[in-house]
Amino acid sequence: MSEVLAKDTILSYIGSEIESKASSVSIRAINERGREAVEKTAFPTKKDEDWRFINLKSITKNSFVSVNDAGVKDAGDISGHYLPEALNTRLVFVNGVYNETLSSVDGLPKGVIVGNLSEYADHETVKEYLGTITNYEDDVFAPFNDAVFSDGTFIYVPEETTVEAPIHILNVFTDAEKPFFATPRLLFVGEMYSKATIIEEHIGLSNNAYLNVPVTEFKLFSGAHVHHARIQRDSKTASHVSRPIAMLDGHAEYHSYTICLGAKLFRNDPRVIQNAEEVDFTVDGLVLIDGEQIADTHSIMDHRFAHGRSHQLHKCVINDEAHSIFNGKIFVAKDAQKIDSFQENRNLLLSDDGKVNTKPQLEIFADDVLCSHGATIGQLSDEEVFYLHSRGLTEQKSRELLVYAFALESVESMEVESVEKLLLDEVIKYTTRD
Amino acid sequence: MLEIKNLHAKVEGEDIEILKGVNLKVNAGEIHAIMGPNGSGKSTLSKVVSGHPEYEVTDGEILFEGEDITEMDADERAHLGLFLAFQYPVEVPGITNKTLLREAYNTIARANDREELDPLEFEDYLVSKLDVIEMKDEFLNRSINTGFSGGEKKKNEIFQMAVLDPKLSFLDETDSGLDIDALKIVSDGVNKIANDEKAIVLITHYQRLLNYIKPDFVHVMMNGKIIKSGDIALAEELEANGYDQLQKELMLNGEAQ
Ligand SMILES: Nc1ncnc2c1ncn2[C@@H]1O[C@H](COP(=O)(O)OP(=O)(O)OP(=O)(O)O)[C@@H](O)[C@H]1O
Ligand SMILES: [Mg+2]
């Protein structure tokens, strides 16, 4: 392998020293490993197959500094973002830094842990799993998170325990004098037959550019059930590159829903790995973008054992000059028979200048499987618009209603009422702007 | 109520003329039937009258209660009291009948300075209209026409008509796709809605419908024009002899080319 020069790595867009700030030995070791990988891995260019369509300018034209060097402003009162269902099951991170005052975890069942990773760094489970589920391959972003994170979320749900209240992980990003980077981190470990709902939110409080590189790792033991909603409402000038990964044991269920509303550049590489027979998982997405936003999802549904059911509905609405990219891979290993996997990418283009690239992919090595995939790119149907219009609705209102209907299905999977409400408001805001 | 004068219309952006000089006058309290072979322009006429942007009026005019509506947007025509029951009602997944109807009802009410109904009042109003067409209330919460059978779609059009209470309705082949029981129910519904202040234009291929909804006038449309008008006897004649015979007669009389 040829030597990678520093100027070709992510470090050339980072204006601060990359140094481990973690106090614990185990996190420092991960930081060290990440740093080594970062220094050895070239930052992606359009020549890389997985980065062909995406314009990375909002990262490469910037120099991001650490939060300490960025002159960050106060978060102010963020209580408007609290979820009524999660008033005592909430962790708050401001620019990636844990904020104890704004967090509250008094409402947890016995044995359940929801806390700051750096405080739990020496917990057996953290030592065993943190950083082990993520995959580097040629990636620069997961190692970047590894290299610099110290705070983060640790969620542990013991055997046969159900956390009724949704666990709200609220990441807010404040205004700042300089563009900064943040590396939110989450480790979830659900023991056998545990059950939990995680609402992971990213909110830009101001309109500044920052680089948000979250890594989330989910380890589900047999029979564990997790509902994971990820709501990305970053600032419209921010860049967000996430690496969510889940590893499922037998009879586990993991249902994830990613909603993309914010960020100038959003790149999301969700990956779910079936680690034993009989699992059930969802990797749904809803993307609502306009202006010059870019949203790129590269997902992997990795079936390594027999008897799995998986489902991916990725819906995108694109207005103005926005650009949506989807590349979804379904892997089925040689002996993974009886996999039932469904994947669909539906794009609704509202403007002439919007762009869509979509590529659903199947790589199947087993012979007894039921896998389907498809992609559509369409505009609003003139006949549908006229139908509503002829009933007395203005043409504008008819269009709004149809876009709303397109998005609705994804919103209705949220399970948490206040989150559904919040997303419906976002959808209305998107359809009725200007 | 409705006066169509020498109406010419073509497909927007193309050189396909479909309506070639239609004249039609409909007064309040009247029921008209338009018959005619496939492709003669019946649906196009109803869409042009309701303001479909796919067609461009190249000559003539449409007057509604004396007002020229030829260039008006479809929603404004609906506010004035025009309604089209589509020949092929589209499926609109994700929007329920109730949502559409409440939005439509209140928009029309606003435009006419009438009181809007709040969700509870509207629910009651909606349920009261279900009887008109013997519709089950589960249809209210289903997405518009989505997964409906052909007959259910047609019934749903008449239900919408009952709810929106228009002055003038075009019913484009509402009878096709209905079995005989449904045909009776739908006809009954239309007869309940019809009164002295309203007018209805039925487009149909079958005289059978006209046994249940009695038209005051019957028109025959061919090749983009109304070539003959008469009363119910004309429909009976058509049923017996077909359009060819009629065309031949007219040609002999020098009335059509
Ligand atoms: N958008 C369009 N583009 C091209 N041709 C059209 C368009 N709309 C209608 N036509 C043509 O105009 C003619 C009249 O169509 P229309 O649907 O009005 O007939 P119709 O009398 O309702 O027929 P049917 O009894 O089969 O319903 C047909 O030849 C049809 O193909
Ligand atoms: Mg027709």
Side-chain angles (χ1 to χ4, degrees), chain A residues 412-429:
Chain A
E412 282 174 340
S413 324
M414 281 305 128
E415 284 189 2
V416 179
E417 205 179 306
S418 67
V419 176
E420 237 172 68
K421 169 84 177 57
L422 167 165
L423 291 178
L424 285 182
D425 288 347
E426 288 284 351
V427 173
I428 290 168
K429 211 160 81 193

Side-chain angles (χ1 to χ4, degrees), chain A residues 8-286:
Chain A
D8 294 329
T9 70
I10 194 172
L11 296 174
S12 102
Y13 314 115
I14 302 297
S16 291
E17 278 298 303
I18 300 287
E19 54 191 352
S20 175
K21 296 191 186 73
S23 48
S24 85
V25 180
S26 51
I27 293 182
R28 288 181 84 95
I30 296 172
N31 289 159
E32 192 50 41
R33 187 186 70 190
R35 186 196 165 85
E36 278 171 24
V38 161
E39 285 169 354
K40 279 197 302 216
T41 314
F43 194 76
T45 68
K46 288 211 185 268
K47 292 193 190 108
D48 298 297
E49 181 59 29
D50 280 346
W51 300 86
R52 259 174 68 196
F53 296 111
I54 191 170
N55 181 341
L56 290 167
K57 245 196 244 151
S58 27
I59 298 178
T60 57
K61 70 171 202 281
N62 267 310
S63 179
F64 300 97
V65 299
S66 76
V67 169
N68 290 337
D69 300 337
V72 292
K73 305 279 186 330
D74 249 17
D77 181 9
I78 60 161
S79 58
H81 294 298
Y82 297 170
L83 303 175
E85 295 91 340
L87 286 179
N88 295 308
T89 46
R90 177 187 64 246
L91 289 191
V92 176
F93 295 83
V94 179
N95 302 322
V97 180
Y98 175 60
N99 187 308
E100 194 177 351
T101 325
L102 302 179
S103 302
S104 167
V105 289
D106 300 338
L108 296 169
K110 193 164 155 283
V112 175
I113 299 172
V114 176
N116 185 4
L117 261 179
S118 64
E119 279 166 38
Y120 287 93
D122 294 325
H123 192 282
E124 278 313 307
T125 308
V126 174
K127 283 209 280 201
E128 190 163 356
Y129 293 105
L130 185 63
T132 64
I133 303 163
T134 307
N135 243 303
Y136 286 180
E137 290 164 12
D138 292 328
D139 186 25
V140 300
F141 293 97
F144 179 71
N145 182 297
D146 269 3
V148 292
F149 87 93
S150 56
D151 282 357
T153 303
F154 174 49
I155 303 172
Y156 176 79
V157 188
E159 206 171 308
E160 290 185 29
T161 303
T162 296
V163 187
E164 294 288 355
I167 299 167
H168 188 199
I169 309 304
L170 179 56
N171 293 287
V172 295
F173 301 91
T174 65
D175 202 0
E177 280 155 25
K178 292 183 190 165
F180 60 87
F181 60 83
T183 52
R185 182 79 180 210
L186 189 155
L187 172 67
F188 175 97
V189 178
E191 297 282 5
M192 286 170 74
Y193 297 96
S194 61
K195 207 170 163 196
T197 296
I198 317 296
I199 311 290
E200 174 196 342
E201 232 184 336
H202 300 261
I203 301 178
L205 298 175
S206 170
N207 196 31
N208 56 322
Y210 53 87
L211 173 62
N212 183 11
V213 186
V215 166
T216 65
E217 297 177 287
F218 280 74
K219 169 74 187 170
L220 274 64
F221 285 94
S222 295
H225 279 45
V226 169
H227 182 97
H228 181 197
R230 310 178 60 228
I231 300 160
Q232 187 269 97
R233 296 197 281 161
D234 280 302
S235 122
K236 288 265 172 117
T237 56
S239 305
H240 178 133
V241 183
S242 10
R243 298 283 176 265
I245 186 161
M247 178 78 79
L248 315 185
D249 279 356
H251 298 275
E253 280 194 29
Y254 173 74
H255 300 292
S256 70
Y257 305 86
T258 303
I259 313 288
C260 163
L261 300 159
K264 172 84 183 291
L265 169 69
F266 178 60
R267 169 68 182 240
N268 182 33
D269 290 30
R271 182 170 188 155
V272 182
I273 301 168
Q274 178 188 359
N275 204 31
E277 292 196 356
E278 290 291 355
V279 301
D280 207 320
F281 62 94
T282 308
V283 195
D284 280 3
L286 174 66

Side-chain angles (χ1 to χ4, degrees), chain B residues 34-54:
Chain B
I34 300 178
M35 306 182 80
N38 294 127
S40 54
K42 304 180 298 296
S43 292
T44 304
L45 175 65
S46 69
K47 286 189 200 169
V48 170
V49 170
S50 60
H52 200 302
E54 196 170 295

Side-chain angles (χ1 to χ4, degrees), chain A residues 383-384 386-395 397 401-402 405 408, chain B residues 52 54 74-75 78-79 83-84 91-92 95 103-104 107 145 157 160:
Chain A
E383 288 309 316
E384 289 178 27
F386 183 68
Y387 191 84
L388 306 183
H389 190 36
S390 78
R391 294 297 181 249
L393 279 57
T394 62
E395 190 181 333
K397 181 75 200 176
L401 213 50
L402 288 167
L408 196 64
Chain B
H52 200 302
E54 196 170 295
D75 58 326
H79 301 168
F83 181 87
L84 168 59
E91 301 195 355
V92 190
I95 303 176
E103 193 68 41
T107 309
N145 298 327
E157 294 292 289
Q160 294 185 19

Side-chain angles (χ1 to χ4, degrees), chain B residues 13-63:
Chain B
E14 280 175 60
D15 240 1
I16 311 169
E17 181 166 73
I18 301 172
L19 301 183
K20 302 170 182 169
V22 177
N23 290 292
L24 180 69
K25 197 169 174 204
V26 180
N27 295 309
E30 293 176 354
I31 296 179
H32 290 239
I34 300 178
M35 306 182 80
N38 294 127
S40 54
K42 304 180 298 296
S43 292
T44 304
L45 175 65
S46 69
K47 286 189 200 169
V48 170
V49 170
S50 60
H52 200 302
E54 196 170 295
Y55 305 99
E56 185 191 334
V57 172
T58 51
D59 202 1
E61 57 184 1
I62 309 167
L63 303 177

